[in-house]
Structures are given as C-alpha cells and as structure tokens.
Amino acid sequence: MMSYEKLLLENKAWAQEMVLDDPDYFNRLSQLQTPEFLWIGCSDSRVPADRITQTQPGEIFVHRNVANLVVNTDVNLLAVLDYAVTHLKVKHVIVCGHYGCGGIKAAATQSDMKPVLNMWLRNIKDVMRHHKQELDGIADEEQRTDRLVELNVQEQVYNLAKTTIIQRAWKREERPDLHGWVYGLKDGIIKPVYEMKAGTHIDPVYEYDNL
Ligand code: CO
C-alpha cells in the first residue's frame, strides 16, 4: 500500500466510527458551522490545532502558515480573517506559535534561504529588530529563540489589531478578543503569553476613525 492510501483508508474508518457513535453527525455538521474561535497557527505538522485543544470539527476556524505570521499584504490570511470575524462572528482570535519553530530559528540566522522564504521570514527579522535590546540581553541561544517565539506571537496579535477588519468588529460588536499563545513541543502545554481585549487602543498611527 502506498503511504497516502493509508490516509484514505483511515478516513473511511474514522467516518464509520463517527456515524456509529452519532448517526446524525455529518448531516448536522454539513448544515452549519458556528465556530467561536479563529486559530492562526504554524504549518508545522506537530502542532495540529484541533488535536492539542481537543476540539471537534465545527469548533475552530483555522489558518496556518510558516511561523504563524499576520502579514498585512497576505490576501489569504486577510480573507480568512475577514470571513471568520465579519461573517462567522468568532469571539476569539488565537495566534498560536510554538517553541522550536523552524521558521523562527531560520529567521534568527543569517543564512540565505533563497527568495521566497527570505521574503516571508523577513517579517520575523523585523520582530527581532523591534525587540533587539531584550533579545540581546539573553545569553543562552535556546532561551533567546524561545523568547523570540513569544515576541513574534505578540507582534502578530498586534498586527491583527492594526487591521480594519478587527477595528471595525471592535467598534461595532466589541469582539473578538485577541490571544497570543505558545505551544511547547516538549510537553504539549500551551502557554498564554499575550492578550488584547476587544476595544484595546493601539498606537494612533494604526487607528482608523471612520470605520
Ligand atoms: Co513553526
């Protein structure tokens, strides 16, 4: 059997199991999704959003990319954000990074990752520049990278707050709250590191007054 064929077999087994448990399961789920959460996570295969939070299909709307970045020209991310916030009306947006993130580690080196990855990872280098003083004060390399993972999550939450999508929802409906979390590959535990309640004021440079 080819490796991918196992996925299809496992899928059939899973679907049968779900129906045995609850005959109406797929019928019900196919009618409606009302997730309360938007998850913006890393593409890393070791950080599956639903598995590590024990959530079921229908509970979390998910976007994943390398190093869980919120880039203001990323149409893919913005479309997901707009749909989740404006139409699904999620109550919480979670940016979840993880310790040991390959994207973060690569950005922290000076090696040329070739054009596309360089372009993407440069967003993390900007986070490093914003927090240079604090990062330079950490002697241990692993600790410094761990802290960069946390600061990156914090900056991505801030990037969310800069969007009119979030600011408009804050102004009109006082949601969603924004959360910055970091998952530990070594212990499976998620650590909340940053939070921004709906309506929080940010640097006026980024605030729009005619929403
Ligand atoms: Co990662």
Side-chain angles (χ1 to χ4, degrees):
M1 196 196 309
M2 306 296 280
S3 58
Y4 69 88
E5 288 175 316
K6 186 167 180 292
L7 302 187
L8 297 171
L9 263 180
E10 289 293 346
N11 164 256
K12 278 203 188 73
W14 172 78
Q16 277 165 7
E17 212 175 287
M18 297 307 280
V19 172
L20 265 179
D21 222 39
D22 176 359
D24 196 40
Y25 182 76
F26 289 110
N27 185 34
R28 201 174 54 245
L29 210 58
S30 65
Q31 307 293 323
L32 182 73
Q33 66 159 346
T34 52
E36 197 178 321
F37 312 99
L38 165 61
W39 175 280
I40 299 170
C42 184
S43 297
D44 195 304
S45 64
R46 297 165 296 179
V47 196
D50 52 352
R51 277 293 260 282
I52 64 175
T53 55
Q54 299 243 48
T55 42
Q56 301 303 316
E59 290 190 80
I60 309 193
F61 203 66
V62 174
H63 177 83
R64 291 167 72 179
N65 62 40
V66 172
N68 42 272
L69 300 181
V70 176
V71 178
N72 73 345
T73 50
D74 179 355
V75 177
N76 184 349
L77 173 118
L78 293 173
V80 170
L81 182 67
D82 196 15
Y83 188 68
V85 172
T86 312
H87 298 279
L88 294 174
K89 301 193 178 292
V90 295
K91 295 192 177 80
H92 303 274
V93 180
I94 298 155
V95 177
C96 188
H98 65 103
Y99 296 119
C101 182
I104 298 283
K105 281 189 198 162
T109 71
Q110 290 181 302
S111 50
D112 174 11
M113 304 295 288
K114 302 294 176 294
V116 179
L117 276 173
N118 284 345
M119 193 166 79
W120 188 250
L121 298 177
R122 186 159 316 139
N123 295 290
I124 304 168
K125 289 181 183 288
D126 292 340
V127 174
M128 292 171 70
R129 185 166 55 85
H130 287 315
H131 298 274
K132 186 172 170 26
Q133 212 176 358
E134 180 183 345
L135 291 167
D136 283 353
I138 305 170
D140 181 76
E141 194 184 327
E142 195 180 337
Q143 277 177 21
R144 194 166 56 243
T145 314
D146 283 356
R147 184 60 186 144
L148 177 57
V149 167
E150 295 172 357
L151 291 169
N152 179 56
V153 154
Q154 179 182 318
E155 288 297 329
Q156 304 319 315
V157 166
Y158 203 88
N159 285 344
L160 285 172
K162 294 174 191 168
T163 67
T164 51
I165 297 166
I166 291 294
Q167 288 184 24
R168 197 174 293 118
W170 279 2
K171 187 174 176 183
R172 295 184 183 175
E173 298 178 34
E174 287 175 50
R175 61 158 189 91
D177 293 333
L178 311 179
H179 308 266
W181 293 355
V182 177
Y183 174 76
L185 290 177
K186 289 178 181 166
D187 60 9
I189 300 295
I190 295 172
K191 177 179 162 190
V193 295
Y194 193 67
E195 191 178 68
M196 215 183 247
K197 291 275 181 210
T200 302
H201 281 285
I202 57 171
D203 189 321
V205 165
Y206 301 113
E207 288 194 332
Y208 298 88
D209 59 10
N210 57 341
L211 295 162

